[in-house]
Coordinates of all heavy atoms in Angstrom, one line a residue:
M1 N 2.8 -2.5 -17.2 CA 3.3 -2.8 -15.8 C 2.3 -2.2 -14.8 O 2.7 -1.7 -13.8 CB 4.7 -2.2 -15.6 CG 5.8 -2.8 -16.5 SD 5.9 -4.5 -16.2 CE 7.5 -4.6 -15.3
T2 N 1.1 -2.1 -15.1 CA 0.0 -1.6 -14.1 C -1.1 -2.7 -14.0 O -2.1 -2.5 -14.6 CB -0.5 -0.3 -14.5 OG1 -1.0 -0.4 -15.9 CG2 0.5 0.8 -14.4
P3 N -0.8 -3.7 -13.3 CA -1.8 -4.9 -13.2 C -3.1 -4.5 -12.6 O -4.1 -5.1 -12.8 CB -1.1 -5.9 -12.3 CG -0.1 -5.1 -11.6 CD 0.4 -4.0 -12.5
S4 N -3.2 -3.4 -11.8 CA -4.5 -3.1 -11.1 C -5.2 -2.0 -11.9 O -6.2 -1.5 -11.5 CB -4.2 -2.5 -9.7 OG -3.3 -1.4 -9.8
R5 N -4.8 -1.7 -13.1 CA -5.4 -0.7 -14.0 C -6.9 -1.0 -14.2 O -7.7 -0.1 -14.0 CB -4.7 -0.5 -15.3 CG -5.4 0.5 -16.2 CD -4.5 0.7 -17.4 NE -3.4 1.6 -17.1 CZ -3.4 2.9 -17.2 NH1 -4.5 3.5 -17.6 NH2 -2.4 3.7 -16.8
E6 N -7.2 -2.2 -14.4 CA -8.6 -2.6 -14.7 C -9.5 -2.4 -13.5 O -10.6 -1.9 -13.6 CB -8.7 -4.0 -15.2 CG -8.2 -4.2 -16.6 CD -8.8 -3.2 -17.6 OE1 -10.1 -3.0 -17.6 OE2 -8.1 -2.6 -18.4
S7 N -9.0 -2.7 -12.3 CA -9.8 -2.6 -11.1 C -10.0 -1.1 -10.8 O -11.0 -0.7 -10.3 CB -9.3 -3.3 -10.0 OG -8.0 -2.9 -9.7
R8 N -9.0 -0.3 -11.1 CA -9.1 1.1 -10.9 C -10.1 1.7 -11.8 O -10.9 2.6 -11.4 CB -7.7 1.8 -11.1 CG -6.8 1.6 -9.9 CD -5.5 2.3 -10.2 NE -4.6 2.1 -9.0 CZ -3.3 2.5 -9.0 NH1 -2.8 3.1 -10.1 NH2 -2.6 2.3 -7.9
R9 N -10.2 1.3 -13.0 CA -11.2 1.8 -13.9 C -12.5 1.4 -13.5 O -13.4 2.3 -13.5 CB -10.9 1.2 -15.3 CG -9.7 1.9 -16.0 CD -9.5 1.2 -17.4 NE -10.6 1.5 -18.3 CZ -10.8 2.6 -19.0 NH1 -9.9 3.5 -19.0 NH2 -11.8 2.7 -19.8
A10 N -12.7 0.2 -13.0 CA -14.0 -0.2 -12.5 C -14.4 0.6 -11.3 O -15.6 1.0 -11.2 CB -13.9 -1.7 -12.1
C11 N -13.5 0.9 -10.5 CA -13.7 1.7 -9.3 C -14.2 3.1 -9.7 O -15.2 3.6 -9.1 CB -12.5 1.8 -8.4 SG -12.7 2.9 -7.0
K12 N -13.5 3.7 -10.6 CA -13.8 5.1 -11.1 C -15.2 5.0 -11.7 O -15.9 6.0 -11.6 CB -12.8 5.5 -12.0 CG -13.0 7.0 -12.5 CD -11.8 7.4 -13.4 CE -12.1 8.8 -14.0 NZ -11.2 9.1 -15.0
H13 N -15.5 4.0 -12.4 CA -16.8 3.9 -13.1 C -17.9 3.9 -12.0 O -18.9 4.6 -12.1 CB -16.9 2.6 -13.9 CG -18.1 2.4 -14.6 ND1 -18.5 3.2 -15.7 CD2 -19.2 1.6 -14.4 CE1 -19.6 2.8 -16.2 NE2 -20.1 1.9 -15.4
L14 N -17.7 3.2 -10.9 CA -18.7 3.1 -9.8 C -18.8 4.5 -9.2 O -19.9 4.9 -8.9 CB -18.2 2.1 -8.7 CG -18.9 2.0 -7.4 CD1 -20.3 1.4 -7.7 CD2 -18.3 1.2 -6.4
L15 N -17.7 5.2 -9.0 CA -17.8 6.5 -8.4 C -18.6 7.5 -9.3 O -19.4 8.2 -8.8 CB -16.4 7.1 -8.2 CG -16.3 8.5 -7.8 CD1 -16.7 8.6 -6.3 CD2 -14.9 9.0 -7.9
A16 N -18.3 7.4 -10.6 CA -19.0 8.3 -11.5 C -20.5 8.0 -11.5 O -21.3 9.0 -11.6 CB -18.5 8.1 -12.9
G17 N -20.9 6.8 -11.3 CA -22.3 6.5 -11.2 C -22.9 7.1 -9.9 O -24.1 7.5 -9.9
L18 N -22.2 7.2 -8.9 CA -22.7 7.7 -7.6 C -22.7 9.2 -7.6 O -23.6 9.8 -7.1 CB -21.8 7.2 -6.4 CG -22.0 5.7 -6.1 CD1 -20.9 5.3 -5.1 CD2 -23.4 5.4 -5.6
L19 N -21.7 9.9 -8.2 CA -21.6 11.3 -8.1 C -22.3 12.0 -9.2 O -22.6 13.2 -9.0 CB -20.1 11.7 -8.0 CG -19.4 11.5 -6.7 CD1 -17.9 12.0 -6.8 CD2 -20.1 12.2 -5.6
G20 N -22.3 11.4 -10.3 CA -22.8 12.1 -11.5 C -21.6 12.9 -12.1 O -20.6 13.1 -11.4
P21 N -21.8 13.5 -13.3 CA -20.7 14.1 -14.0 C -20.3 15.4 -13.4 O -19.2 16.0 -13.7 CB -21.2 14.3 -15.4 CG -22.7 14.3 -15.2 CD -23.0 13.4 -14.1
S22 N -21.1 16.0 -12.5 CA -20.8 17.4 -12.0 C -20.0 17.4 -10.8 O -19.5 18.5 -10.4 CB -22.1 18.2 -11.9 OG -22.9 17.5 -10.8
G23 N -19.8 16.3 -10.1 CA -19.1 16.3 -8.8 C -17.6 16.5 -9.0 O -17.1 16.2 -10.1
P24 N -16.9 16.9 -7.9 CA -15.5 17.0 -8.0 C -14.9 15.6 -8.2 O -15.3 14.7 -7.4 CB -15.1 17.6 -6.6 CG -16.2 17.3 -5.8 CD -17.4 17.2 -6.6
E25 N -14.0 15.5 -9.1 CA -13.6 14.1 -9.4 C -12.2 13.8 -8.9 O -11.2 14.4 -9.3 CB -13.6 13.9 -11.0 CG -13.4 12.4 -11.3 CD -13.7 12.1 -12.8 OE1 -14.1 13.0 -13.4 OE2 -13.6 10.9 -13.1
V26 N -12.1 12.9 -8.0 CA -10.8 12.4 -7.5 C -10.8 10.9 -8.0 O -11.6 10.1 -7.6 CB -10.8 12.4 -6.0 CG1 -9.5 11.8 -5.4 CG2 -10.8 13.9 -5.5
T27 N -9.8 10.6 -8.8 CA -9.6 9.2 -9.2 C -8.9 8.4 -8.1 O -8.4 9.0 -7.1 CB -8.6 9.2 -10.4 OG1 -7.4 9.7 -10.0 CG2 -9.2 10.0 -11.5
C28 N -8.9 7.1 -8.2 CA -8.3 6.3 -7.3 C -6.8 6.6 -7.2 O -6.2 6.5 -6.1 CB -8.5 4.8 -7.6 SG -10.2 4.3 -7.3
E29 N -6.2 6.9 -8.3 CA -4.8 7.3 -8.3 C -4.5 8.6 -7.5 O -3.6 8.7 -6.7 CB -4.3 7.5 -9.7 CG -3.3 6.6 -10.2 CD -3.1 6.6 -11.7 OE1 -3.8 5.8 -12.4 OE2 -2.2 7.3 -12.2
D30 N -5.4 9.6 -7.7 CA -5.3 10.8 -6.9 C -5.5 10.5 -5.5 O -4.8 11.0 -4.5 CB -6.4 11.8 -7.3 CG -6.2 12.3 -8.7 OD1 -5.0 12.3 -9.2 OD2 -7.2 12.8 -9.4
C31 N -6.4 9.6 -5.2 CA -6.8 9.3 -3.8 C -5.6 8.7 -3.1 O -5.2 9.1 -2.0 CB -8.0 8.3 -3.9 SG -8.6 7.9 -2.2
F32 N -5.0 7.6 -3.8 CA -3.8 7.0 -3.1 C -2.7 8.0 -3.0 O -1.9 7.9 -2.0 CB -3.4 5.8 -3.9 CG -4.3 4.6 -3.6 CD1 -5.1 4.0 -4.6 CD2 -4.2 4.0 -2.4 CE1 -5.9 2.9 -4.3 CE2 -5.0 2.9 -2.1 CZ -5.8 2.3 -3.1
A33 N -2.5 8.8 -4.0 CA -1.4 9.8 -3.9 C -1.5 10.8 -2.8 O -0.5 11.2 -2.2 CB -1.3 10.5 -5.3
N34 N -2.7 11.1 -2.4 CA -3.0 12.1 -1.4 C -3.4 11.5 0.0 O -3.6 12.3 0.9 CB -4.1 13.1 -1.9 CG -3.6 14.0 -3.0 OD1 -2.6 14.6 -2.9 ND2 -4.3 13.9 -4.0
L35 N -3.5 10.2 0.0 CA -4.1 9.6 1.2 C -3.4 9.8 2.5 O -4.0 10.2 3.5 CB -4.2 8.0 1.0 CG -5.2 7.3 1.9 CD1 -6.6 7.9 1.7 CD2 -5.2 5.9 1.6
D36 N -2.0 9.8 2.4 CA -1.3 10.0 3.7 C -1.4 11.4 4.2 O -1.6 11.6 5.4 CB 0.2 9.6 3.5 CG 0.9 10.3 2.3 OD1 0.1 10.9 1.5 OD2 2.1 10.3 2.3
V37 N -1.3 12.3 3.3 CA -1.5 13.8 3.7 C -2.9 14.0 4.2 O -3.1 14.7 5.2 CB -1.2 14.7 2.5 CG1 -1.4 16.1 2.9 CG2 0.2 14.5 2.0
Y38 N -3.8 13.5 3.5 CA -5.2 13.7 3.9 C -5.5 13.1 5.3 O -6.1 13.8 6.1 CB -6.1 12.9 2.9 CG -7.6 13.1 3.1 CD1 -8.3 14.2 2.6 CD2 -8.3 12.1 3.8 CE1 -9.6 14.4 2.9 CE2 -9.6 12.3 4.1 CZ -10.3 13.3 3.6 OH -11.7 13.5 3.9
V39 N -5.0 11.9 5.5 CA -5.3 11.3 6.8 C -4.5 12.1 8.0 O -5.1 12.3 9.0 CB -4.8 9.8 6.8 CG1 -4.7 9.3 8.2 CG2 -5.7 9.0 6.0
E40 N -3.4 12.6 7.7 CA -2.7 13.4 8.7 C -3.5 14.6 9.0 O -3.6 15.0 10.2 CB -1.2 13.8 8.2 CG -0.3 12.6 8.4 CD 1.1 12.9 7.7 OE1 1.4 14.1 7.5 OE2 1.8 12.0 7.5
R41 N -3.9 15.3 8.0 CA -4.7 16.5 8.2 C -6.0 16.2 8.9 O -6.5 16.9 9.8 CB -5.1 17.2 6.9 CG -3.9 17.8 6.2 CD -3.4 19.0 7.0 NE -2.4 19.7 6.2 CZ -2.6 20.8 5.5 NH1 -3.7 21.4 5.5 NH2 -1.6 21.4 4.8
E42 N -6.6 15.1 8.5 CA -7.9 14.6 9.1 C -7.7 14.4 10.7 O -8.5 14.8 11.5 CB -8.4 13.4 8.5 CG -9.8 13.0 8.8 CD -10.2 11.7 8.1 OE1 -9.4 10.8 7.9 OE2 -11.3 11.7 7.6
L43 N -6.7 13.7 11.0 CA -6.4 13.4 12.4 C -6.1 14.6 13.2 O -6.4 14.8 14.3 CB -5.2 12.4 12.5 CG -5.6 11.0 12.0 CD1 -4.3 10.1 12.0 CD2 -6.6 10.3 12.9
A44 N -5.4 15.6 12.5 CA -5.1 16.9 13.2 C -6.3 17.8 13.2 O -6.2 18.9 13.8 CB -3.9 17.5 12.4
G45 N -7.3 17.5 12.5 CA -8.5 18.3 12.4 C -8.2 19.6 11.7 O -8.7 20.7 12.0
D46 N -7.4 19.5 10.7 CA -6.8 20.7 10.0 C -7.1 20.7 8.5 O -6.2 20.6 7.7 CB -5.2 20.6 10.2 CG -4.6 21.9 9.7 OD1 -5.3 23.0 9.6 OD2 -3.4 21.9 9.4
G47 N -8.4 20.8 8.2 CA -8.8 21.1 6.8 C -8.4 20.1 5.8 O -8.1 20.4 4.7
A48 N -8.6 18.8 6.1 CA -8.3 17.7 5.1 C -9.2 17.9 3.8 O -8.7 17.7 2.7 CB -8.5 16.4 5.7
D49 N -10.4 18.3 4.0 CA -11.3 18.3 2.9 C -11.0 19.6 2.0 O -11.4 19.7 0.9 CB -12.7 18.3 3.3 CG -13.1 17.0 3.9 OD1 -12.9 15.9 3.2 OD2 -13.5 16.9 5.1
V50 N -10.4 20.6 2.7 CA -10.0 21.8 1.9 C -8.7 21.5 1.1 O -8.6 21.9 0.0 CB -9.7 23.0 2.8 CG1 -9.2 24.2 2.0 CG2 -11.0 23.3 3.6
L51 N -7.9 20.7 1.7 CA -6.6 20.4 1.0 C -6.9 19.5 -0.2 O -6.3 19.7 -1.2 CB -5.7 19.6 2.0 CG -4.3 19.2 1.5 CD1 -3.4 20.4 1.4 CD2 -3.7 18.2 2.4
V52 N -7.7 18.5 0.0 CA -8.0 17.6 -1.1 C -9.5 17.6 -1.4 O -10.2 16.7 -0.9 CB -7.5 16.1 -0.8 CG1 -7.6 15.3 -2.1 CG2 -6.2 16.1 -0.2
P53 N -10.1 18.5 -2.1 CA -11.5 18.6 -2.4 C -12.0 17.3 -3.1 O -11.3 16.9 -4.0 CB -11.7 19.8 -3.2 CG -10.4 20.6 -3.1 CD -9.3 19.6 -2.8
G54 N -13.1 16.8 -2.8 CA -13.6 15.6 -3.5 C -13.2 14.3 -2.9 O -13.6 13.2 -3.2
M55 N -12.2 14.4 -2.0 CA -11.6 13.1 -1.4 C -12.6 12.4 -0.6 O -12.8 11.2 -0.7 CB -10.4 13.5 -0.5 CG -9.7 12.4 0.0 SD -8.6 11.6 -1.2 CE -7.3 11.0 -0.2
R56 N -13.4 13.1 0.2 CA -14.4 12.4 1.1 C -15.5 11.8 0.3 O -15.9 10.6 0.5 CB -15.0 13.4 2.0 CG -16.0 12.8 3.0 CD -16.3 13.6 4.2 NE -15.0 13.9 5.0 CZ -14.5 13.1 5.8 NH1 -15.0 11.9 6.1 NH2 -13.4 13.4 6.5
A57 N -15.9 12.5 -0.8 CA -16.9 11.9 -1.7 C -16.3 10.6 -2.4 O -17.0 9.6 -2.5 CB -17.3 12.9 -2.8
H58 N -15.1 10.6 -2.7 CA -14.5 9.4 -3.3 C -14.4 8.3 -2.3 O -14.8 7.2 -2.6 CB -13.0 9.8 -3.8 CG -12.4 8.6 -4.5 ND1 -12.6 8.3 -5.8 CD2 -11.7 7.5 -4.0 CE1 -11.9 7.2 -6.1 NE2 -11.4 6.7 -5.0
L59 N -14.0 8.6 -1.1 CA -14.0 7.5 -0.1 C -15.3 7.0 0.2 O -15.5 5.8 0.5 CB -13.3 8.1 1.2 CG -11.9 8.5 1.1 CD1 -11.4 9.2 2.4 CD2 -11.0 7.3 0.8
E60 N -16.3 7.8 0.2 CA -17.7 7.3 0.4 C -18.2 6.5 -0.7 O -19.1 5.6 -0.5 CB -18.6 8.5 0.7 CG -18.5 9.1 2.1 CD -19.3 10.4 2.3 OE1 -20.0 10.8 1.3 OE2 -19.2 10.9 3.4
G61 N -17.7 6.7 -1.9 CA -18.2 6.0 -3.1 C -17.3 4.8 -3.5 O -17.6 4.1 -4.4
C62 N -16.1 4.7 -2.8 CA -15.2 3.7 -3.3 C -14.7 2.8 -2.1 O -13.8 3.2 -1.3 CB -13.9 4.4 -3.9 SG -12.7 3.3 -4.5
P63 N -15.3 1.6 -2.0 CA -14.9 0.7 -0.9 C -13.4 0.4 -0.8 O -12.9 0.3 0.3 CB -15.7 -0.5 -1.2 CG -16.8 -0.1 -2.1 CD -16.3 1.1 -2.8
A64 N -12.7 0.3 -1.9 CA -11.3 -0.1 -1.9 C -10.5 1.1 -1.3 O -9.7 0.8 -0.4 CB -10.8 -0.3 -3.4
C65 N -10.7 2.3 -1.7 CA -10.0 3.4 -1.1 C -10.4 3.7 0.4 O -9.6 4.0 1.2 CB -10.2 4.7 -1.9 SG -9.4 4.6 -3.5
A66 N -11.7 3.4 0.7 CA -12.1 3.6 2.0 C -11.5 2.7 3.0 O -11.1 3.0 4.1 CB -13.7 3.4 2.1
E67 N -11.3 1.5 2.5 CA -10.6 0.5 3.3 C -9.1 0.9 3.5 O -8.6 0.8 4.6 CB -10.6 -0.9 2.6 CG -10.3 -2.1 3.6 CD -10.4 -3.4 2.8 OE1 -11.4 -3.5 2.1 OE2 -9.6 -4.2 3.0
E68 N -8.5 1.3 2.4 CA -7.1 1.8 2.5 C -7.0 3.0 3.5 O -6.1 3.1 4.3 CB -6.7 2.2 1.1 CG -5.2 2.4 1.0 CD -4.4 1.1 1.0 OE1 -5.0 0.0 0.8 OE2 -3.2 1.1 1.4
H69 N -8.0 3.9 3.4 CA -8.0 5.0 4.3 C -8.2 4.6 5.7 O -7.4 5.2 6.6 CB -9.2 5.9 3.8 CG -9.6 7.0 4.8 ND1 -10.5 6.8 5.8 CD2 -9.1 8.3 5.0 CE1 -10.6 7.9 6.5 NE2 -9.8 8.8 6.0
D70 N -9.1 3.7 6.0 CA -9.3 3.3 7.4 C -8.0 2.6 8.0 O -7.7 3.0 9.1 CB -10.4 2.2 7.4 CG -11.8 3.0 7.3 OD1 -11.8 4.2 7.2 OD2 -12.8 2.2 7.1
S71 N -7.4 1.8 7.2 CA -6.2 1.1 7.8 C -5.0 2.1 8.0 O -4.3 2.0 9.0 CB -5.8 -0.1 6.9 OG -5.6 0.3 5.6
L72 N -4.9 3.1 7.1 CA -3.9 4.0 7.2 C -4.1 5.0 8.4 O -3.2 5.3 9.2 CB -3.7 4.9 5.9 CG -2.6 5.9 5.9 CD1 -1.3 5.2 6.1 CD2 -2.6 6.8 4.7
R73 N -5.4 5.3 8.6 CA -5.8 6.2 9.7 C -5.5 5.4 11.0 O -5.0 6.0 12.0 CB -7.2 6.5 9.6 CG -7.6 7.6 10.6 CD -9.1 8.0 10.5 NE -10.0 6.8 10.6 CZ -11.3 6.9 10.3 NH1 -11.8 8.0 10.0 NH2 -12.0 5.8 10.4
D74 N -5.8 4.1 11.1 CA -5.6 3.3 12.3 C -4.1 3.3 12.6 O -3.6 3.5 13.7 CB -6.1 1.9 12.1 CG -7.6 1.8 12.2 OD1 -8.2 2.8 12.5 OD2 -8.1 0.7 11.9
L75 N -3.3 3.1 11.5 CA -1.8 3.0 11.6 C -1.3 4.3 12.2 O -0.5 4.3 13.1 CB -1.2 2.7 10.3 CG 0.2 2.3 10.3 CD1 0.4 0.9 10.8 CD2 0.8 2.4 8.8
I76 N -1.7 5.5 11.6 CA -1.1 6.7 12.0 C -1.7 7.1 13.4 O -0.9 7.6 14.2 CB -1.5 7.8 11.0 CG1 -0.8 7.6 9.7 CG2 -1.2 9.2 11.6 CD1 -1.2 8.6 8.6
A77 N -2.9 6.8 13.7 CA -3.5 7.1 15.0 C -2.7 6.3 16.1 O -2.4 6.8 17.1 CB -5.0 6.7 15.1
R78 N -2.3 5.1 15.8 CA -1.5 4.3 16.7 C -0.1 4.9 16.9 O 0.4 5.0 18.0 CB -1.4 2.9 16.2 CG -1.3 1.8 17.2 CD -1.5 0.4 16.6 NE -2.8 0.2 16.0 CZ -3.0 -0.5 14.9 NH1 -2.0 -1.2 14.4 NH2 -4.2 -0.6 14.5
D79 N 0.4 5.4 15.8 CA 1.8 6.0 15.9 C 1.8 7.2 16.7 O 2.8 7.6 17.4 CB 2.3 6.4 14.5 CG 2.8 5.1 13.7 OD1 2.9 4.0 14.4 OD2 3.1 5.3 12.5
T80 N 0.7 8.0 16.7 CA 0.6 9.3 17.4 C -0.1 9.1 18.8 O -0.5 10.1 19.3 CB -0.2 10.3 16.5 OG1 -1.4 9.8 16.2 CG2 0.6 10.6 15.3
G81 N -0.2 7.9 19.3 CA -0.7 7.6 20.6 C -2.2 7.6 20.6 O -2.8 7.8 21.7
G82 N -2.9 7.3 19.6 CA -4.3 7.2 19.5 C -5.1 8.4 19.6 O -6.3 8.4 19.8
R83 N -4.4 9.6 19.4 CA -5.2 10.8 19.4 C -5.9 11.0 18.1 O -5.2 11.2 17.1 CB -4.3 12.0 19.7 CG -3.9 12.1 21.2 CD -3.1 13.3 21.5 NE -1.9 13.4 20.6 CZ -1.6 14.4 19.8 NH1 -2.4 15.5 19.8 NH2 -0.5 14.4 19.1
I84 N -7.2 11.1 18.1 CA -8.0 11.3 16.9 C -8.8 12.6 17.1 O -9.5 12.7 18.1 CB -8.9 10.1 16.6 CG1 -8.1 8.9 16.3 CG2 -9.8 10.5 15.4 CD1 -8.9 7.7 15.9
Ligands
LIG101 ZN1 -11.0 4.7 -5.2

């Protein structure tokens, strides 16, 4: 019951190629699980990268998560009156 499993694997494979084996590894599952908290912290300027280490590297290496991140950030920014 996980139809997107294959695309997530492909995404992780792409990330591994960009970061190499020694980078902090955030999977797409981790990324989606932490995305709302991460974006809230990011908009608040409150240590998003400390809270979720490796998240930024994942977003830079993963177009799917980056797009999700951007739309969520836009949504939250709108909810909070556009303060970024
Ligand atoms: Zn991803």
Side-chain angles (χ1 to χ4, degrees):
M1 299 298 255
T2 52
S4 61
R5 175 169 286 269
E6 286 310 311
S7 59
R8 283 180 178 174
R9 284 178 63 87
C11 173
K12 186 179 171 184
H13 183 74
L14 175 68
L15 174 71
L18 290 171
L19 284 183
S22 63
E25 190 168 359
V26 173
T27 64
C28 288
E29 243 165 274
D30 293 336
C31 185
F32 279 114
N34 290 306
L35 198 58
D36 54 344
V37 179
Y38 182 86
V39 169
E40 280 174 18
R41 291 291 187 102
E42 191 180 39
L43 289 172
D46 187 22
D49 293 304
V50 177
L51 181 74
V52 193
M55 187 76 151
R56 183 161 301 280
H58 182 89
L59 292 174
E60 285 173 0
C62 180
C65 289
E67 195 179 317
E68 194 71 22
H69 168 268
D70 285 353
S71 53
L72 184 62
R73 189 178 56 189
D74 286 352
L75 191 74
I76 294 179
R78 211 168 298 149
D79 281 354
T80 57
R83 285 184 303 124
I84 298 179

